Structure formats: structure tokens, C-alpha cells
Amino acid sequence: MSWFDHMMDKLEDVLEAGDPDRLWTDFLGASHDVHIAEEALREAEEKLAAARERALEGDLAPALKKEMRRGRHTLSVLDLLREVGGDHPDLVLALLPELYDCCLGINKTSIWGREILRVLGRTTDLHDALAPLVTRTLGDKDEREDLEAMNGLGMLLDGLGDTALLARWHKAVRASQDPDVRELADAYEPDDETTGEEPPGEAARRG
């Protein structure tokens, strides 16, 4: 294509861009595309809701456990539990060990895991179920010296208002050889006046 032809094409584009009929046609085309996309999204959401309902009617826990242990689709599992966990506490309890492991960190997976357990903790006392898991973590030297794991555990216990387990965590991090881990204790000081009735996560926000 010659320079002249190229310039003429550019001029034609400019002229067409200012053509009211062309502008209106483009608008109608874009509006139609949006409508089609919205319809497709609505149908997809209806299919998702139906599939979720069918899944929850069965025993979904074994399949979700398998996925989480494999590290596959973990965020999808957590997303489901965030949405339905409040209405299906037994499902969350069945996945407690896997959810607990998710909580030992500061990434998105950990944040969602703590959120799910905080919601459950509003109606269910999780102390007895969590105690052996916390004991295992605090008894593992590598995890006890892991800054992110200890930070995540502190946020979990603080958010749940479990002062007994938080006191054990506090003692363990105070004894850490890592100064950064020891500093975590200042963010979650045990409060003898805490009754466990404080809104989940409130102490964490104060810290």
C-alpha cells in the first residue's frame, strides 16, 4: 500500500468515526453484545446454583478433603465454604484439619480459611477440636520458627477469641529464637478480661 493510500484510509476512518449513523450502529452493536453476555452470565449462575445444591445434598466432605490435600482447587473449595459454611457447619467441621492448615499463613488462602472458621466460631465452640492441632503446630520446631505460620495462627486464635490457646501460642512465640517471631507476641497480648464474646477479628484490628 502506497503512502497516499494509507493516508486516504486514515482519513476515511476519521470521517466514519464522526458519522452519526455509524456511531449509532456501533452503539447498538455494543449494546446487543452486552445483552448477550448478561444472558449467558445469568444462565451460568443458574447452572452453578443448581450444581451447588445437588453437591450439598450428598456427602461432599470426602471429595473436598481430597482436593485440599492434593492442593488442587483449594480456593474453589474455600470459596464454596465461605458461601455456604454458615448453613452447613457439619461440612466445615469435617474439613477442620485441612482448614486449619490453610490458616497458617498470610496469603489469600489463609485469609479465607480464617474467615470460614471465624464464622463457624460464632455458633460453635472450636476449642476442643483445635487444641490438638495447635499442640501439633507448637510442638513442631520448624513451624514454631516460621514467621508466617505463627502470624497466621495468632490471627486465627485471636479472631476466635480462644484465650487459652492464644496464651499457649503467646508463650511459644516469646520463646522463639527468631526476633521477628518474638515480636508477634506484642500484637496479640493475652487479655485476662477477654470473655470470648468480642466480635471475631476485633482484637486483630486493634493490633
Side-chain angles (χ1 to χ4, degrees), residues 85-131:
D87 296 325
H88 297 271
D90 291 344
L91 178 59
V92 178
L93 283 171
L95 298 170
L96 185 62
E98 291 75 22
L99 287 169
Y100 172 82
D101 288 340
C102 286
C103 293
L104 303 184
I106 57 175
N107 57 16
K108 185 175 183 179
T109 298
S110 304
I111 293 170
W112 283 9
R114 288 190 291 270
E115 176 188 331
I116 292 164
L117 292 185
R118 280 198 302 271
V119 170
L120 180 62
R122 294 171 187 166
T123 57
T124 305
D125 185 354
L126 297 177
H127 174 83
D128 291 343
L130 284 176

Side-chain angles (χ1 to χ4, degrees), residues 57-83:
E57 288 175 352
D59 183 7
L60 199 56
L64 299 185
K65 274 181 174 286
K66 186 184 299 183
E67 289 289 83
M68 295 183 75
R69 289 174 179 174
R70 291 176 176 175
R72 296 173 52 190
H73 309 299
T74 300
L75 284 175
S76 295
V77 174
L78 295 177
D79 195 31
L80 172 66
L81 295 178
R82 290 172 72 218
E83 186 170 352

Side-chain angles (χ1 to χ4, degrees), residues 102-169:
C102 286
C103 293
L104 303 184
I106 57 175
N107 57 16
K108 185 175 183 179
T109 298
S110 304
I111 293 170
W112 283 9
R114 288 190 291 270
E115 176 188 331
I116 292 164
L117 292 185
R118 280 198 302 271
V119 170
L120 180 62
R122 294 171 187 166
T123 57
T124 305
D125 185 354
L126 297 177
H127 174 83
D128 291 343
L130 284 176
L133 301 175
V134 174
T135 297
R136 182 198 69 192
T137 299
L138 297 182
D140 186 310
K141 182 179 179 180
D142 290 336
E143 286 197 293
R144 199 169 59 240
E145 297 294 324
D146 187 309
L147 178 61
E148 292 189 358
M150 289 298 97
N151 194 8
L153 180 55
M155 286 190 281
L156 171 64
L157 299 177
D158 182 67
L160 291 171
D162 194 322
T163 54
L165 291 179
L166 187 61
R168 291 175 54 190
W169 170 88

